Amino acid sequence: MTPVFDPMRLSAVSLDVLAAARSGADAIADRQRKRLARVVQGARRDSAFYREHLRDVSPDAPLAALPVVNRRELMENFDRWVTDPSLTLAGLQAFTADPARLAQAFQGRYVVWESSGTSGQPGIFVQDAQAMAVYDALEALRRDAPRPQLRWLDPLYLNERIAFVGATGGHFASVVSIERLRQINPWMARAVHSFSILQPLDRLVDQLNAFAPTVIATYPSAAAYLAEQSLADRFKARVREVWTGGETLSPSVRRHIERSLGCTVRNSYGASEFLTLGWECGQGALHLNADWAILEPVDASGQPVVPGELSDGCLLTHLANSVQPLIRYDLGDQIRLRPQPCACGSPLPVIEVQGRRDEPLVMRGLRGRRITLLPMALTTVLEEEAGVFDFHVRQIDEHSLALRLPLSGEAATAAMARCRAALQAYAAGQGMADLQVVSETGEPMPLGRSGKACRVAAAQRKGAHRPD
């Protein structure tokens, strides 16, 4: 089936993206205002949920006066939320349940992906050709090129071998996007591949060595693992660029990856709700694509925080997706909006994001081998295999984990049994024969000093300090 791709829309959006990057902050704000007015007007007209949700708000009210929404509320009202009545939650769930339909066009005109349920509520997100044109243009034109001279000669990365290393067992945004790219550009099919982090990591390293990528797109924890394997002379690919996202990239982890692999690291920020929220510039600053997305940093009571202050959460307004309107949507991430402009000269605002701070777990496998369990793999196993989305995994020692669930009673017993079976099966596949899972139920999820929930925590070594 032909993937969702409209070259005319892409051309028009690309020209606007280029023009916005060369304009000033006032021009960015003007684009925001016009696009916001269209989004709100369309939501009032075409979404039964938003028609009721905004019923008591004046059509001329500023964005800050509109009520906040969250994922659970929208998913519970899915069929009334979407603006195309032919889209139903039941139909989309059946579509994403079929792995053979990955990156296929739903109804011939929509790209569909599911979220991992990090917020405790799984989600399904639908993008039309306009939204995909925006993502494609932002991805192609706002990713800073660490090797600009080479990019002039090869702007489409045709001479690179790109490996995506991540969760590939579902219709997740990253793997759907990679497969769609391969379908749109058949000449890239051999040069772009996805590799699962759920397989034994020794096998993953062997596969990457055989593929010999020059560019790797993955999570910081997975990139750090590959850096360690490179130092041990097990990972041998000559990587020139690493693109990271999905977790917090600390300065120390960045230095470790760059020094060990001899590459340049570029970090990005995105979500299932908006695929390409921001990319780093050459100054190492993360720029928000504010011409297509509005992020409002707010405190615990939902009030705006001043620039320079770390928020308790943030609200996303999507200016490109008219199929699933997102207006003041509680994204949950903690962000800091820098008050000063970036030295790179971009008019786009600079943000700092406090994302996931989960930690790799180093366990002991067969014959005393060190086994690394990556946090993104563990959370994917619990979400996809056990159907649990609110949990905390804490390493006790090299052989055992504590699993905390907020459930109690029979529900907790059943969920714990599923989780234990899923974790032990995954650990066995990684080379551990005797993983012990200690049950902790009916307990609240722990928070780090930043206020963000930590889902996977390693055992702290004596004398070591765990940053938060």
Side-chain angles (χ1 to χ4, degrees):
M1 184 178 291
T2 303
V4 177
F5 178 66
D6 186 334
M8 295 299 292
R9 288 179 185 268
L10 177 59
S11 297
V13 173
S14 297
L15 290 173
D16 185 81
V17 166
L18 288 170
R22 290 167 171 76
S23 63
D26 289 343
I28 298 291
D30 185 58
R31 284 171 165 81
Q32 276 193 353
R33 283 191 296 270
K34 292 177 179 177
R35 288 166 182 163
L36 175 62
R38 286 197 294 268
V39 165
V40 173
Q41 182 182 27
R44 286 180 181 271
R45 182 186 63 239
D46 300 326
S47 167
F49 170 82
Y50 270 105
R51 197 157 47 243
E52 180 180 336
H53 188 66
L54 301 176
R55 179 181 53 198
D56 299 327
V57 182
S58 167
D60 299 325
L63 180 62
L66 304 186
V68 174
V69 297
N70 59 51
R71 183 185 291 186
R72 184 174 299 279
E73 182 180 17
L74 293 177
M75 289 302 298
E76 289 175 351
N77 293 276
F78 189 93
D79 293 359
R80 299 176 63 251
W81 165 30
V82 293
T83 60
D84 181 348
S86 71
L87 294 169
T88 65
L89 182 59
L92 290 162
Q93 287 175 331
F95 178 85
T96 56
D98 184 355
R101 304 192 70 179
L102 181 75
Q104 289 185 7
F106 185 77
Q107 297 182 352
R109 54 186 173 140
Y110 294 120
V111 176
V112 179
W113 53 65
E114 56 187 334
S115 76
S116 61
T118 303
S119 65
Q121 170 67 53
I124 290 182
F125 297 94
V126 184
Q127 328 289 324
D128 63 7
Q130 174 65 18
M132 294 310 301
V134 170
Y135 295 153
D136 289 343
L138 294 175
E139 181 77 10
L141 300 173
R142 294 219 172 129
R143 181 197 302 127
D144 178 72
R147 298 167 290 155
Q149 290 182 334
L150 184 58
R151 291 286 69 83
W152 276 107
L153 298 173
D154 182 21
L156 298 179
Y157 284 76
L158 299 181
N159 292 318
E160 306 287 357
R161 297 177 65 80
I162 303 174
F164 167 68
V165 179
T168 62
H171 290 242
F172 303 131
S174 295
V175 69
V176 168
S177 300
I178 290 292
E179 185 55 35
R180 173 178 170 270
L181 178 67
R182 285 160 49 88
Q183 293 175 11
I184 292 172
N185 305 294
W187 61 87
M188 297 185 71
R190 289 187 178 183
V192 181
H193 280 268
S194 297
F195 300 86
S196 174
I197 59 169
L198 300 182
Q199 64 180 311
L201 294 183
D202 287 348
R203 186 187 305 163
L204 169 64
V205 171
D206 289 342
Q207 290 178 354
L208 289 172
N209 283 335
F211 181 62
T214 58
V215 177
I216 294 178
T218 189
Y219 318 114
S221 59
Y225 174 79
L226 293 175
E228 294 171 2
Q229 297 303 297
S230 177
L231 290 176
D233 201 32
R234 288 191 287 269
F235 179 53
K236 301 179 183 297
R238 300 182 64 180
V239 179
R240 295 193 285 257
E241 297 178 28
V242 171
W243 305 337
T244 60
E247 299 171 339
T248 296
L249 176 66
S250 68
S252 59
V253 170
R254 180 195 292 269
R255 288 193 298 270
H256 171 56
I257 296 168
E258 290 184 332
R259 291 172 181 173
S260 302
L261 296 179
C263 67
T264 301
V265 174
R266 284 289 185 267
N267 199 31
S268 64
Y269 176 41
S272 298
E273 292 83 353
F274 194 111
L275 191 62
T276 54
L277 281 167
W279 266 93
E280 279 186 347
C281 69
Q283 300 289 323
L286 188 66
H287 288 269
L288 174 68
N289 290 317
D291 45 345
W292 289 103
I294 299 174
L295 278 187
E296 302 173 72
V298 295
D299 62 20
S301 61
Q303 297 303 306
V305 302
V306 298
E309 180 180 332
L310 182 65
S311 72
D312 290 291
C314 68
L315 308 177
L316 166 68
T317 298
H318 198 312
L319 302 179
N321 190 340
S322 61
V323 182
Q324 279 181 307
L326 291 171
I327 303 170
R328 304 203 82 206
Y329 169 88
D330 184 4
L331 192 60
D333 292 338
Q334 292 180 286
I335 67 172
R336 178 183 287 110
L337 179 64
R338 281 196 200 169
Q340 65 274 15
C342 183
C344 76
S346 171
L348 297 168
V350 175
I351 59 173
E352 299 172 7
V353 182
Q354 295 291 323
R356 294 180 181 177
R357 289 184 176 272
D358 297 335
E359 301 164 325
L361 309 183
V362 179
M363 312 293 286
R364 188 166 296 276
L366 299 173
R367 295 181 294 279
R369 291 179 59 239
R370 281 174 27 123
I371 301 294
T372 300
L373 305 183
L374 296 177
M376 193 65 76
L378 290 168
T379 56
T380 301
V381 164
L382 288 170
E383 291 165 354
E384 297 300 309
E385 302 296 328
V388 172
F389 301 95
D390 195 9
F391 55 82
H392 174 70
V393 177
R394 186 184 80 256
Q395 181 182 17
I396 299 174
D397 54 35
E398 293 179 321
H399 304 282
S400 54
L401 306 175
L403 175 62
R404 179 176 294 189
L405 302 177
L407 304 171
S408 58
E410 294 182 0
T413 302
M416 186 61 69
R418 296 196 306 272
C419 292
R420 181 177 285 110
L423 287 172
Q424 289 176 336
Y426 169 67
Q430 296 294 319
M432 286 189 67
D434 58 347
L435 176 67
Q436 301 299 310
V437 179
V438 177
S439 170
E440 295 179 354
T441 58
E443 299 285 343
M445 298 300 101
L447 300 177
R449 289 198 302 276
S450 66
K452 294 282 285 186
C454 176
R455 306 180 88 197
V456 182
Q460 193 165 2
R461 300 184 304 274
K462 291 183 179 180
H465 170 69
R466 179 181 297 138
D468 189 13

